[in-house]
Amino acid sequence: MFLKILYALYVSRILVNGINKDLVKQIKGLFNELGYSIVDNDPDIIISVNSINNTIRKYFPKFHNKIIINVVQDGSSVIPLTKEHLGGSLISSFLADSLGANLVLTTSTGVKGLYSVEEFSWLNGFSIHNYDHKIVNSLNKKLVTEGKVSVYLDSYEGNYILYDGYSLVDHKATADLVISRHVDNTEESSDKLYLMPAGIYVGIKYLESTPLDVLVYSLKMTLKSLYILNDRIDYIVISSSFKDDRKLNQLSKYYYSNIIYVSDVDELCSCETLLKELQVKVLLRDVRRAFGVITCLGVK
């Protein structure tokens, strides 16, 4: 029997600490407003406002397998120290833009201004099927040395973005990356990487009078908060009381989404409750994106 194994990159639990307490407070406030969980333990991401030497000594022994980002004391530079190509550069880029700071990247793809295969997957809302370090490293090396990685669309009609270095091909046999909604054992190849929709769920609560363009904007901001720049949501989740709202059909077409109506949900419940009813892992907590619009985001 076929077993689907997906490697999802997304992270949301952030520990922020450092010697510039005002800057630490500012960074915490920034990510909290976006819906991230600010934690004191078990983080996915560590943002340290300190010297690189002190950051490494304090966090690397225990958290070397997490994203560690160093921010210099005056907030002028942001430097991802670990997992740069696994989301560190994207979170760092968002932070640097927010602080008006310099972003310092050191990986071969980052230096060339290219998105790694993992970053390409993250930005497009994909998961990597049967993640293989050797294949991924080989493709990232090809991206740097040859300047291109070939992409084939197989049973996939959703939205996607081809960034610099990525180009479409007409035949699967010549592709490095295959984007597909379904992968089985007969289709797998030892030299290809398969990307599948990550199962992006966005819960939404809004006033019935909210215009469609405000809803579109709110969902776009929700995706961007997790640094997903592709306008595609796999599932829009909402209370069944909105079944007669025609705006939802237009919204689902714009984002290539399926709509899931959750029944028996109290009108006063949180947006997160909609996702938890479906056993979805919540990444971004309830956030007011516009007047009368609250969203949250998760993966499954």
Side-chain angles (χ1 to χ4, degrees):
M1 182 177 178
F2 172 62
L3 177 64
K4 181 174 75 170
I5 301 175
L6 294 178
Y7 183 83
L9 299 166
Y10 301 115
V11 290
S12 64
R13 292 172 57 84
I14 299 182
L15 186 155
V16 187
N17 208 339
I19 57 179
N20 184 335
K21 300 305 179 184
D22 290 336
L23 185 54
V24 167
K25 183 178 180 180
Q26 180 183 351
I27 294 171
K28 284 183 177 181
L30 167 67
F31 283 101
N32 184 61
E33 289 178 2
L34 295 175
Y36 286 77
S37 296
I38 307 302
V39 300
D40 295 320
N41 49 59
D42 192 26
D44 303 316
I45 308 164
I46 295 168
I47 300 176
S48 174
V49 181
N50 214 319
S51 68
I52 290 178
N53 184 59
N54 287 342
T55 295
I56 290 174
R57 285 197 302 174
K58 183 173 183 178
Y59 293 110
F60 193 80
K62 184 178 180 180
F63 298 106
H64 61 276
N65 62 336
K66 305 292 186 180
I67 294 174
I68 302 176
I69 299 170
N70 190 85
V71 180
V72 300
Q73 299 176 33
D74 62 357
S76 60
S77 294
V78 177
I79 310 159
L81 301 180
T82 61
K83 293 199 169 187
E84 180 179 317
H85 63 299
L86 290 167
S89 68
L90 301 180
I91 300 297
S92 296
S93 177
F94 183 87
L95 180 57
D97 287 344
S98 300
L99 297 178
N102 296 314
L103 175 64
V104 181
L105 301 179
T106 58
T107 61
S108 55
T109 51
V111 169
K112 284 185 171 288
L114 299 169
Y115 288 124
S116 70
V117 169
E118 297 97 329
E119 291 166 334
F120 176 85
S121 177
W122 178 309
L123 293 164
N124 274 301
F126 295 135
S127 287
I128 300 174
H129 171 79
N130 285 346
Y131 185 91
D132 187 315
H133 286 283
K134 290 183 179 179
I135 296 177
V136 170
N137 291 340
S138 175
L139 292 183
N140 283 334
K141 183 177 180 180
K142 180 180 181 181
L143 183 62
V144 171
T145 58
E146 300 181 21
K148 64 177 182 178
V149 166
S150 56
V151 180
Y152 178 76
L153 301 182
D154 181 28
S155 68
Y156 180 77
E157 298 178 352
N159 199 19
Y160 63 93
I161 301 173
L162 287 177
Y163 295 96
D164 289 346
Y166 295 85
S167 58
L168 284 180
V169 294
D170 295 326
H171 304 286
K172 186 187 293 187
T174 61
D176 301 308
L177 294 178
V178 177
I179 300 174
S180 178
R181 290 193 177 276
H182 308 284
V183 182
D184 60 43
N185 289 331
T186 61
E187 293 177 318
E188 292 186 11
S189 171
S190 60
D191 62 346
K192 299 187 191 305
L193 207 63
Y194 285 80
L195 305 182
M196 302 177 68
I200 305 296
Y201 289 70
V202 173
I204 184 168
K205 298 184 67 178
Y206 62 91
L207 300 175
E208 291 187 25
S209 59
T210 305
L212 176 62
D213 58 346
V214 174
L215 297 179
V216 170
Y217 166 83
S218 297
L219 294 191
K220 190 183 294 286
M221 290 301 101
T222 304
L223 292 173
K224 285 187 175 181
S225 293
L226 200 64
Y227 224 91
I228 300 174
L229 304 186
N230 176 10
D231 290 335
R232 193 202 79 243
I233 297 169
D234 299 309
Y235 301 96
I236 295 174
V237 186
I238 192 166
S239 168
S240 58
S241 61
F242 282 85
K243 275 188 176 180
D244 295 330
D245 190 345
R246 295 181 180 179
K247 294 193 294 289
L248 285 173
N249 289 327
Q250 296 172 278
L251 197 63
S252 67
K253 289 179 181 179
Y254 183 90
Y255 283 106
Y256 299 84
S257 306
N258 293 306
I259 301 176
I260 298 179
Y261 295 99
V262 179
S263 302
D264 301 322
V265 173
D266 191 304
E267 290 185 3
L268 299 178
C269 75
S270 69
C271 177
E272 294 172 52
T273 301
L274 296 171
L275 300 188
K276 290 177 179 177
E277 285 286 321
L278 302 173
Q279 297 182 325
V280 173
K281 178 183 178 182
V282 177
L283 294 176
L284 298 181
R285 299 175 289 97
D286 290 19
V287 170
R288 188 176 301 279
R289 301 290 175 177
F291 178 76
V293 181
I294 296 174
T295 67
C296 54
L297 183 150
V299 295
K300 183 178 180 181

